[in-house]
mmCIF file of all heavy atoms in Angstrom:
data_model
loop_
_atom_site.group_PDB
_atom_site.id
_atom_site.type_symbol
_atom_site.label_atom_id
_atom_site.label_comp_id
_atom_site.label_asym_id
_atom_site.label_seq_id
_atom_site.Cartn_x
_atom_site.Cartn_y
_atom_site.Cartn_z
ATOM 1 N N SER B 9 14.651 -1.232 1.128
ATOM 2 C CA SER B 9 14.250 -2.239 2.133
ATOM 3 C C SER B 9 13.419 -1.642 3.258
ATOM 4 O O SER B 9 13.607 -1.972 4.430
ATOM 5 C CB SER B 9 15.484 -2.954 2.696
ATOM 6 O OG SER B 9 16.196 -3.574 1.661
ATOM 7 N N LEU B 10 12.501 -0.754 2.879
ATOM 8 C CA LEU B 10 11.602 -0.134 3.850
ATOM 9 C C LEU B 10 10.219 -0.756 3.742
ATOM 10 O O LEU B 10 9.832 -1.239 2.681
ATOM 11 C CB LEU B 10 11.469 1.368 3.566
ATOM 12 C CG LEU B 10 12.758 2.184 3.518
ATOM 13 C CD1 LEU B 10 12.471 3.602 3.043
ATOM 14 C CD2 LEU B 10 13.441 2.188 4.871
ATOM 15 N N SER B 11 9.470 -0.724 4.830
ATOM 16 C CA SER B 11 8.065 -1.101 4.752
ATOM 17 C C SER B 11 7.235 0.183 4.813
ATOM 18 O O SER B 11 7.719 1.233 5.227
ATOM 19 C CB SER B 11 7.686 -2.083 5.860
ATOM 20 O OG SER B 11 7.879 -1.512 7.128
ATOM 21 N N VAL B 12 5.984 0.089 4.387
ATOM 22 C CA VAL B 12 5.124 1.266 4.240
ATOM 23 C C VAL B 12 3.873 1.123 5.088
ATOM 24 O O VAL B 12 3.193 0.096 5.043
ATOM 25 C CB VAL B 12 4.718 1.444 2.753
ATOM 26 C CG1 VAL B 12 3.748 2.610 2.597
ATOM 27 C CG2 VAL B 12 5.941 1.628 1.869
ATOM 28 N N ILE B 13 3.559 2.173 5.841
ATOM 29 C CA ILE B 13 2.284 2.263 6.544
ATOM 30 C C ILE B 13 1.390 3.145 5.661
ATOM 31 O O ILE B 13 1.720 4.310 5.416
ATOM 32 C CB ILE B 13 2.434 2.903 7.941
ATOM 33 C CG1 ILE B 13 3.348 2.053 8.831
ATOM 34 C CG2 ILE B 13 1.065 3.084 8.595
ATOM 35 C CD1 ILE B 13 3.716 2.715 10.145
ATOM 36 N N PRO B 14 0.283 2.612 5.172
ATOM 37 C CA PRO B 14 -0.579 3.379 4.271
ATOM 38 C C PRO B 14 -1.653 4.184 5.015
ATOM 39 O O PRO B 14 -2.846 3.910 4.912
ATOM 40 C CB PRO B 14 -1.195 2.297 3.384
ATOM 41 C CG PRO B 14 -1.290 1.108 4.291
ATOM 42 C CD PRO B 14 -0.107 1.200 5.224
ATOM 43 N N THR B 15 -1.240 5.197 5.774
ATOM 44 C CA THR B 15 -2.188 6.005 6.520
ATOM 45 C C THR B 15 -3.115 6.786 5.587
ATOM 46 O O THR B 15 -4.303 6.938 5.862
ATOM 47 C CB THR B 15 -1.451 6.972 7.469
ATOM 48 O OG1 THR B 15 -0.724 6.186 8.413
ATOM 49 C CG2 THR B 15 -2.409 7.891 8.208
ATOM 50 N N CYS B 16 -2.584 7.277 4.495
ATOM 51 C CA CYS B 16 -3.391 8.035 3.529
ATOM 52 C C CYS B 16 -4.497 7.145 2.969
ATOM 53 O O CYS B 16 -4.244 6.027 2.523
ATOM 54 C CB CYS B 16 -2.496 8.535 2.399
ATOM 55 S SG CYS B 16 -3.398 9.230 1.012
ATOM 56 N N SER B 17 -5.728 7.651 2.987
ATOM 57 C CA SER B 17 -6.854 6.839 2.525
ATOM 58 C C SER B 17 -6.777 6.506 1.039
ATOM 59 O O SER B 17 -7.236 5.447 0.621
ATOM 60 C CB SER B 17 -8.180 7.527 2.842
ATOM 61 O OG SER B 17 -8.264 8.768 2.177
ATOM 62 N N TYR B 18 -6.182 7.368 0.229
ATOM 63 C CA TYR B 18 -6.040 7.037 -1.200
ATOM 64 C C TYR B 18 -5.161 5.792 -1.339
ATOM 65 O O TYR B 18 -5.477 4.878 -2.093
ATOM 66 C CB TYR B 18 -5.441 8.199 -2.014
ATOM 67 C CG TYR B 18 -5.132 7.748 -3.427
ATOM 68 C CD1 TYR B 18 -6.147 7.665 -4.377
ATOM 69 C CD2 TYR B 18 -3.857 7.319 -3.789
ATOM 70 C CE1 TYR B 18 -5.886 7.184 -5.656
ATOM 71 C CE2 TYR B 18 -3.587 6.844 -5.060
ATOM 72 C CZ TYR B 18 -4.610 6.784 -5.988
ATOM 73 O OH TYR B 18 -4.361 6.291 -7.253
ATOM 74 N N VAL B 19 -4.078 5.753 -0.586
ATOM 75 C CA VAL B 19 -3.156 4.610 -0.676
ATOM 76 C C VAL B 19 -3.840 3.338 -0.209
ATOM 77 O O VAL B 19 -3.811 2.312 -0.903
ATOM 78 C CB VAL B 19 -1.869 4.872 0.143
ATOM 79 C CG1 VAL B 19 -0.940 3.665 0.078
ATOM 80 C CG2 VAL B 19 -1.163 6.120 -0.371
ATOM 81 N N SER B 20 -4.492 3.392 0.957
ATOM 82 C CA SER B 20 -5.089 2.175 1.526
ATOM 83 C C SER B 20 -6.354 1.735 0.809
ATOM 84 O O SER B 20 -6.588 0.538 0.640
ATOM 85 C CB SER B 20 -5.362 2.367 3.013
ATOM 86 O OG SER B 20 -6.292 3.409 3.221
ATOM 87 N N ASP B 21 -7.167 2.688 0.360
ATOM 88 C CA ASP B 21 -8.483 2.342 -0.196
ATOM 89 C C ASP B 21 -8.520 2.230 -1.717
ATOM 90 O O ASP B 21 -9.421 1.594 -2.261
ATOM 91 C CB ASP B 21 -9.527 3.369 0.239
ATOM 92 C CG ASP B 21 -9.690 3.423 1.752
ATOM 93 O OD1 ASP B 21 -9.191 2.517 2.446
ATOM 94 O OD2 ASP B 21 -10.301 4.388 2.241
ATOM 95 N N THR B 22 -7.585 2.875 -2.400
ATOM 96 C CA THR B 22 -7.618 2.882 -3.861
ATOM 97 C C THR B 22 -6.365 2.267 -4.478
ATOM 98 O O THR B 22 -6.451 1.319 -5.254
ATOM 99 C CB THR B 22 -7.805 4.327 -4.389
ATOM 100 O OG1 THR B 22 -9.009 4.863 -3.820
ATOM 101 C CG2 THR B 22 -7.917 4.349 -5.908
ATOM 102 N N PHE B 23 -5.190 2.793 -4.123
ATOM 103 C CA PHE B 23 -3.963 2.329 -4.772
ATOM 104 C C PHE B 23 -3.652 0.862 -4.473
ATOM 105 O O PHE B 23 -3.408 0.083 -5.393
ATOM 106 C CB PHE B 23 -2.769 3.211 -4.373
ATOM 107 C CG PHE B 23 -1.480 2.777 -5.014
ATOM 108 C CD1 PHE B 23 -1.228 3.036 -6.355
ATOM 109 C CD2 PHE B 23 -0.517 2.083 -4.288
ATOM 110 C CE1 PHE B 23 -0.043 2.614 -6.955
ATOM 111 C CE2 PHE B 23 0.661 1.663 -4.876
ATOM 112 C CZ PHE B 23 0.906 1.939 -6.221
ATOM 113 N N LEU B 24 -3.660 0.487 -3.198
ATOM 114 C CA LEU B 24 -3.307 -0.902 -2.864
ATOM 115 C C LEU B 24 -4.304 -1.923 -3.406
ATOM 116 O O LEU B 24 -3.880 -2.949 -3.945
ATOM 117 C CB LEU B 24 -3.098 -1.065 -1.361
ATOM 118 C CG LEU B 24 -1.783 -0.460 -0.850
ATOM 119 C CD1 LEU B 24 -1.744 -0.462 0.666
ATOM 120 C CD2 LEU B 24 -0.582 -1.204 -1.427
ATOM 121 N N PRO B 25 -5.625 -1.680 -3.314
ATOM 122 C CA PRO B 25 -6.548 -2.648 -3.935
ATOM 123 C C PRO B 25 -6.337 -2.795 -5.445
ATOM 124 O O PRO B 25 -6.510 -3.879 -5.989
ATOM 125 C CB PRO B 25 -7.935 -2.069 -3.618
ATOM 126 C CG PRO B 25 -7.728 -1.308 -2.348
ATOM 127 C CD PRO B 25 -6.351 -0.694 -2.495
ATOM 128 N N ARG B 26 -5.941 -1.724 -6.105
ATOM 129 C CA ARG B 26 -5.697 -1.777 -7.550
ATOM 130 C C ARG B 26 -4.316 -2.339 -7.885
ATOM 131 O O ARG B 26 -4.062 -2.735 -9.031
ATOM 132 C CB ARG B 26 -5.799 -0.380 -8.165
ATOM 133 C CG ARG B 26 -7.201 0.180 -8.179
ATOM 134 C CD ARG B 26 -7.206 1.566 -8.791
ATOM 135 N NE ARG B 26 -8.529 2.166 -8.739
ATOM 136 C CZ ARG B 26 -8.794 3.426 -9.055
ATOM 137 N NH1 ARG B 26 -7.818 4.226 -9.462
ATOM 138 N NH2 ARG B 26 -10.021 3.887 -8.980
ATOM 139 N N ASN B 27 -3.413 -2.324 -6.909
ATOM 140 C CA ASN B 27 -2.029 -2.758 -7.122
ATOM 141 C C ASN B 27 -1.588 -3.689 -5.991
ATOM 142 O O ASN B 27 -0.687 -3.370 -5.213
ATOM 143 C CB ASN B 27 -1.097 -1.532 -7.180
ATOM 144 C CG ASN B 27 -1.463 -0.600 -8.304
ATOM 145 O OD1 ASN B 27 -1.038 -0.773 -9.435
ATOM 146 N ND2 ASN B 27 -2.287 0.403 -8.001
ATOM 147 N N PRO B 28 -2.230 -4.874 -5.885
ATOM 148 C CA PRO B 28 -1.960 -5.763 -4.744
ATOM 149 C C PRO B 28 -0.525 -6.288 -4.689
ATOM 150 O O PRO B 28 -0.095 -6.776 -3.641
ATOM 151 C CB PRO B 28 -2.964 -6.896 -4.944
ATOM 152 C CG PRO B 28 -3.318 -6.860 -6.394
ATOM 153 C CD PRO B 28 -3.230 -5.413 -6.806
ATOM 154 N N ASN B 29 0.217 -6.157 -5.783
ATOM 155 C CA ASN B 29 1.612 -6.593 -5.780
ATOM 156 C C ASN B 29 2.446 -5.824 -4.755
ATOM 157 O O ASN B 29 3.485 -6.310 -4.313
ATOM 158 C CB ASN B 29 2.228 -6.455 -7.173
ATOM 159 C CG ASN B 29 2.045 -5.061 -7.761
ATOM 160 O OD1 ASN B 29 0.931 -4.526 -7.790
ATOM 161 N ND2 ASN B 29 3.117 -4.458 -8.230
ATOM 162 N N TRP B 30 2.002 -4.645 -4.343
ATOM 163 C CA TRP B 30 2.748 -3.862 -3.353
ATOM 164 C C TRP B 30 2.436 -4.276 -1.917
ATOM 165 O O TRP B 30 3.104 -3.828 -0.989
ATOM 166 C CB TRP B 30 2.452 -2.366 -3.524
ATOM 167 C CG TRP B 30 3.082 -1.782 -4.745
ATOM 168 C CD1 TRP B 30 2.437 -1.276 -5.834
ATOM 169 C CD2 TRP B 30 4.477 -1.651 -5.021
ATOM 170 N NE1 TRP B 30 3.353 -0.837 -6.764
ATOM 171 C CE2 TRP B 30 4.606 -1.055 -6.296
ATOM 172 C CE3 TRP B 30 5.628 -1.980 -4.318
ATOM 173 C CZ2 TRP B 30 5.848 -0.785 -6.865
ATOM 174 C CZ3 TRP B 30 6.864 -1.706 -4.893
ATOM 175 C CH2 TRP B 30 6.968 -1.119 -6.147
ATOM 176 N N ASN B 31 1.443 -5.125 -1.697
ATOM 177 C CA ASN B 31 1.086 -5.526 -0.330
ATOM 178 C C ASN B 31 2.239 -6.177 0.411
ATOM 179 O O ASN B 31 2.269 -6.171 1.639
ATOM 180 C CB ASN B 31 -0.136 -6.447 -0.339
ATOM 181 C CG ASN B 31 -1.420 -5.682 -0.584
ATOM 182 O OD1 ASN B 31 -1.570 -4.549 -0.156
ATOM 183 N ND2 ASN B 31 -2.348 -6.303 -1.285
ATOM 184 N N SER B 32 3.196 -6.725 -0.326
ATOM 185 C CA SER B 32 4.318 -7.413 0.318
ATOM 186 C C SER B 32 5.194 -6.467 1.137
ATOM 187 O O SER B 32 5.895 -6.914 2.041
ATOM 188 C CB SER B 32 5.177 -8.126 -0.732
ATOM 189 O OG SER B 32 5.725 -7.172 -1.628
ATOM 190 N N ILE B 33 5.165 -5.166 0.843
ATOM 191 C CA ILE B 33 5.988 -4.246 1.637
ATOM 192 C C ILE B 33 5.154 -3.362 2.576
ATOM 193 O O ILE B 33 5.689 -2.460 3.209
ATOM 194 C CB ILE B 33 6.931 -3.390 0.763
ATOM 195 C CG1 ILE B 33 6.165 -2.449 -0.155
ATOM 196 C CG2 ILE B 33 7.909 -4.267 0.000
ATOM 197 C CD1 ILE B 33 7.056 -1.396 -0.805
ATOM 198 N N VAL B 34 3.860 -3.646 2.678
ATOM 199 C CA VAL B 34 3.038 -2.925 3.644
ATOM 200 C C VAL B 34 3.435 -3.380 5.047
ATOM 201 O O VAL B 34 3.567 -4.574 5.313
ATOM 202 C CB VAL B 34 1.532 -3.169 3.394
ATOM 203 C CG1 VAL B 34 0.686 -2.618 4.543
ATOM 204 C CG2 VAL B 34 1.110 -2.531 2.075
ATOM 205 N N HIS B 35 3.645 -2.417 5.922
ATOM 206 C CA HIS B 35 4.067 -2.701 7.293
ATOM 207 C C HIS B 35 2.996 -3.523 8.008
ATOM 208 O O HIS B 35 1.828 -3.144 8.009
ATOM 209 C CB HIS B 35 4.311 -1.379 8.035
ATOM 210 C CG HIS B 35 4.975 -1.541 9.363
ATOM 211 N ND1 HIS B 35 6.225 -2.075 9.495
ATOM 212 C CD2 HIS B 35 4.545 -1.231 10.598
ATOM 213 C CE1 HIS B 35 6.553 -2.087 10.767
ATOM 214 N NE2 HIS B 35 5.552 -1.598 11.465
ATOM 215 N N LYS B 36 3.388 -4.635 8.591
ATOM 216 C CA LYS B 36 2.416 -5.565 9.172
ATOM 217 C C LYS B 36 1.955 -5.159 10.565
ATOM 218 O O LYS B 36 0.812 -5.357 10.916
ATOM 219 C CB LYS B 36 3.013 -6.978 9.242
ATOM 220 C CG LYS B 36 3.450 -7.515 7.893
ATOM 221 C CD LYS B 36 2.300 -7.620 6.902
ATOM 222 C CE LYS B 36 2.738 -8.221 5.605
ATOM 223 N NZ LYS B 36 2.548 -7.369 4.422
#
């Protein structure tokens, strides 16, 4: 039950766009 801040550019620019199902736990 944690949220994620995607500071790493690979996570924000590559992984999340390719895997949008994880956006629900990205810290708002």
Side-chain angles (χ1 to χ4, degrees):
S9 301
L10 304 172
S11 61
V12 176
I13 298 171
T15 297
C16 170
S17 62
Y18 172 80
V19 178
S20 62
D21 299 347
T22 303
F23 180 75
L24 286 171
R26 291 179 184 172
N27 300 274
N29 52 309
W30 288 115
N31 284 326
S32 62
I33 65 168
V34 170
H35 190 62
K36 302 299 183 240

